Amino acid sequence: MRILMVSSEVAPWAKAGGLADAVGALSEALARAGHELKVVMPRYYRVDRDALEDTGLRVGSGFGEADAAVYATPLEDSGGTLYLLDREDLYGRDGIYGVPGETDFRDNPARYAFLCRGALELCRVLEWEPDVVHAHDWPTALMAVLVAEARASELPFFHKTASVLSIHNLGYQGVYPATDFERLGLAPDRFDQAGFEHYGRMNLLKAGLTMADALSTVSPTYAREIQTPDFGFGLDGLLRWRSADLVGILNGVDLGDWNPATDPYIAARYDAADLSGKAACKAALQREFGLPENPDVPLVAMISRLADQKGIGELFGPMYGAAWPICSEMDLQFAVLGSGEAWCERELSILSSRLPNFKARVGMDERLAHVVEAGADFFLMPSRYEPCGLSQLYSLRYGTLPVVRRTGGLADTVENYEQATGEGTGFVFDDLTPRAIYDTVGWAVWAWYNKGEHIEAMRARAMGRVFSWDRAATEYLALYRRAIARARGEPIEENE
Ligand code: ADP
Ligand code: GLC
């Protein structure tokens, strides 16, 4: 199958969160399975041109804007190709979506509309007609509208192309003033017809969800949750209407990047059969964070975007958050790596200076993320909502037991500890309250001190849980086939 993947983030080239990992790993898995893969993203300022090949090609938006140079690089050794569109005025600045102080660049509609239009233009230039175009989240949701337009047009291209849109996070929808619609290069009547209109403003994700041939999100539980008002961010009605075309496909773990048996960033390598290396990893983590180097105290860690979605208010909120009583009343260590909301970054440094057993590092640091995953005993993720969550999958893989709220992909991937039998792969709670976080961390710490044999068995069990991108790729292929059948007006075969 010919698959065009379009995304604002692709790891390792540009990453703000799990979206980058997911798109990169899924593309490689599909290419390895023998499909023709072309992935398109912007050539952001931070992506070094010298590491790329200049194709000499240029693509435009198709409506009179400046055009972009096209760079390319192989997608690891999978056989696919990553193309990067280079236009100085749109992408030649620091930051993916924004910078501190301007967290959403004012011209993002134009920046991402150009990415989408340029991706289709590139297919024309390469004379490569995709069977399916797979877009991700609001930045590339416009792809679904463009594919539908192209299919209906006179131009002899994309007539058989289908579109799939994946929701990685419904909390970000790309909502802009209606006047920005003209930056997309569409006929004015499309504003209503394609579903952009949202309480008088322009909602890019909503249009994509309206127009795509098939929809997916990144876990089965989240696929159900987003059809309810509590998790729908105002789009639950639309998602219920499209329910028959929406599936939940769980993300996987890229074992090339996240594998304690081969990880180059960690102090000692280990696997499920022999976890002895984990002790050296714990000592290394304690050293790096300036915590007392002590094997006899449980180490709780967190790596996170510091955003409301992640439960940071309940955990770090000044005066009421759970972190202070957890650290001052329990015999444990707490290490945090994160960046995001300014109040929270400030609070982390205050906690670090006042509590001897709490240390935080602010910033994005890929290497340190590996050090933390390998060295910690527990990984805390008290998310308000979590479409899938990759960090807890990495934790399971590293024998670091997740302490999570039962929501979205966390509910689908972490099995709660059974104190009577020792079953489980982590610790799960329901209510997002400081009390519930406190109690559940307390429970994990209690088990660490009193049920060492359970913890050992849970670690080995967690490491044995397989979350494979090859399995996800197979499920996406079935979804692509449905989308293609729908786009071509052919009967849809179930259970392929
Ligand atoms: P989300 O995409 O909502 O942020 P995920 O759990 O799916 O959540 O993915 C988060 C990814 O981003 C993980 O790979 C995690 O290691 C990484 N990450 C988050 N914050 C940081 C940070 N400060 N430094 C390094 N990696 C980070
Ligand atoms: C989003 C979600 C996260 C998910 C990731 C990759 O950023 O917040 O839960 O794992 O996308 O799909």
Side-chain angles (χ1 to χ4, degrees):
M1 198 182 291
R2 292 178 158 192
I3 303 161
L4 173 69
M5 199 68 87
V6 190
S7 176
S8 52
E9 296 176 36
V10 183
W13 303 97
K15 168 164 167 174
L19 171 65
D21 292 14
V23 174
L26 172 62
S27 304
E28 285 166 25
L30 287 164
R32 273 197 313 268
H35 299 279
E36 276 184 57
L37 246 290
K38 296 196 192 301
V39 185
V40 184
M41 67 175 284
R43 204 289 295 179
Y44 296 109
Y45 172 72
R46 293 267 172 187
V47 182
D48 184 3
R49 280 199 199 91
D50 292 342
L52 310 170
E53 175 212 340
D54 185 351
T55 64
L57 302 172
R58 300 199 71 89
V59 296
S61 66
F63 71 105
E65 278 184 78
D67 57 11
V70 182
Y71 287 81
T73 182
L75 260 185
E76 298 244 331
D77 47 9
S78 65
T81 307
L82 174 69
Y83 292 93
L84 301 97
L85 307 189
D86 188 27
R87 219 181 100 178
E88 192 60 29
D89 58 330
L90 297 182
Y91 314 122
R93 62 185 91 156
D94 210 0
I96 297 178
Y97 307 109
V99 284
E102 187 188 6
T103 49
D104 188 47
F105 290 131
R106 184 61 198 87
D107 58 347
N108 273 344
R111 295 171 77 231
Y112 290 111
F114 185 84
L115 172 66
C116 294
R117 289 187 162 274
L120 285 191
E121 191 58 29
L122 179 63
C123 293
R124 282 196 198 94
V125 170
L126 296 172
E127 294 181 14
W128 185 83
E129 191 169 357
D131 296 303
V132 64
V133 171
H134 188 171
H136 301 268
D137 277 351
W138 72 264
T140 52
L142 180 65
M143 288 310 300
V145 181
L146 297 179
V147 167
E149 294 268 301
R151 214 156 58 204
S153 83
E154 308 281 283
L155 297 170
F157 221 71
F158 304 120
H159 277 180
K160 293 185 154 185
T161 302
S163 63
V164 171
L165 175 59
S166 290
I167 303 166
H168 295 261
N169 195 332
L170 198 60
Y172 303 85
Q173 299 181 1
V175 178
Y176 295 95
T179 45
D180 277 340
F181 183 68
E182 61 192 38
R183 313 291 297 266
L184 310 186
L186 293 169
D189 61 2
R190 295 298 184 273
F191 187 68
D192 289 315
Q193 285 167 9
F196 287 98
E197 195 282 332
H198 193 58
Y199 301 106
R201 307 185 60 167
M202 173 178 78
N203 183 324
L204 292 166
L205 185 67
K206 179 167 169 280
L209 296 177
T210 306
M211 297 303 290
D213 295 304
L215 304 174
S216 74
T217 186
V218 287
S219 70
T221 295
Y222 195 59
R224 287 191 297 278
E225 286 173 342
I226 54 178
Q227 299 180 50
T228 67
D230 281 354
F231 291 89
F233 285 99
L235 297 183
D236 47 295
L238 171 58
L239 290 164
R240 283 195 299 279
W241 176 62
R242 296 232 47 194
S243 178
D245 303 312
L246 169 66
V247 297
I249 301 177
L250 208 57
N251 287 332
V253 173
D254 187 332
L255 291 182
D257 294 335
W258 294 94
N259 183 354
T262 55
D263 194 326
Y265 297 123
I266 65 179
R269 279 166 271 294
Y270 60 94
D271 57 29
D274 178 8
L275 271 121
S276 54
K278 200 164 164 61
C281 295
K282 180 169 175 176
L285 168 54
Q286 289 169 326
R287 258 194 319 275
E288 281 229 20
F289 273 73
L291 288 161
E293 223 177 286
N294 178 0
D296 299 321
V297 63
L299 177 39
V300 178
M302 184 167 180
I303 304 169
S304 188
R305 288 187 292 116
L306 303 174
D308 181 62
Q309 173 197 347
K310 302 296 182 180
I312 57 169
E314 286 71 10
L315 188 55
F316 299 120
M319 312 300 292
Y320 67 94
W324 179 270
I326 284 173
C327 291
S328 49
E329 293 165 24
M330 296 181 200
D331 203 1
L332 51 61
Q333 294 178 335
F334 202 140
V336 181
L337 169 62
S339 69
E341 289 194 22
W343 74 261
C344 192
E345 294 187 351
R346 258 193 321 275
E347 190 59 24
L348 291 180
S349 79
I350 293 172
L351 292 171
S352 298
S353 66
R354 295 204 183 145
L355 290 161
N357 54 346
F358 181 98
K359 289 286 173 277
R361 292 282 281 274
V362 168
M364 277 295 273
D365 188 332
E366 188 73 26
R367 181 195 64 83
L368 203 52
H370 288 250
V371 170
V372 173
E373 288 284 13
D377 294 300
F378 300 107
F379 192 91
L380 181 58
M381 230 167 142
S383 304
R384 183 174 310 285
Y385 70 94
E386 197 60 73
C388 176
L390 291 168
S391 291
Q392 88 281 9
L393 299 184
Y394 303 153
S395 303
L396 290 168
R397 187 75 222 150
Y398 281 67
T400 301
L401 303 177
V403 178
V404 303
R405 175 152 182 263
R406 195 189 315 275
T407 183
L410 300 174
D412 291 339
T413 57
V414 181
E415 299 146 50
N416 201 9
Y417 174 49
E418 292 281 346
Q419 212 167 291
T421 60
E423 287 300 307
T425 58
F427 300 81
V428 185
F429 60 96
D430 288 288
D431 299 333
L432 180 55
T433 59
R435 182 80 225 179
I437 298 173
Y438 176 92
D439 286 346
T440 312
V441 170
W443 187 34
V445 166
W446 175 87
W448 196 89
Y449 281 113
N450 298 289
K451 295 281 178 190
E453 69 290 0
H454 285 178
I455 296 288
E456 289 313 308
M458 287 170 81
R459 284 195 206 289
R461 191 177 301 127
M463 293 180 75
R465 291 290 181 264
V466 178
F467 298 96
S468 130
W469 276 113
D470 293 332
R471 183 261 324 144
T474 306
E475 293 182 45
Y476 278 106
L477 284 165
L479 182 68
Y480 295 166
R481 284 191 208 101
R482 288 177 59 109
I484 291 166
R486 189 178 189 271
R488 297 180 186 174
E490 294 164 0
I492 294 172
E493 286 174 38
E494 292 297 335
N495 306 322
E496 271 187 286

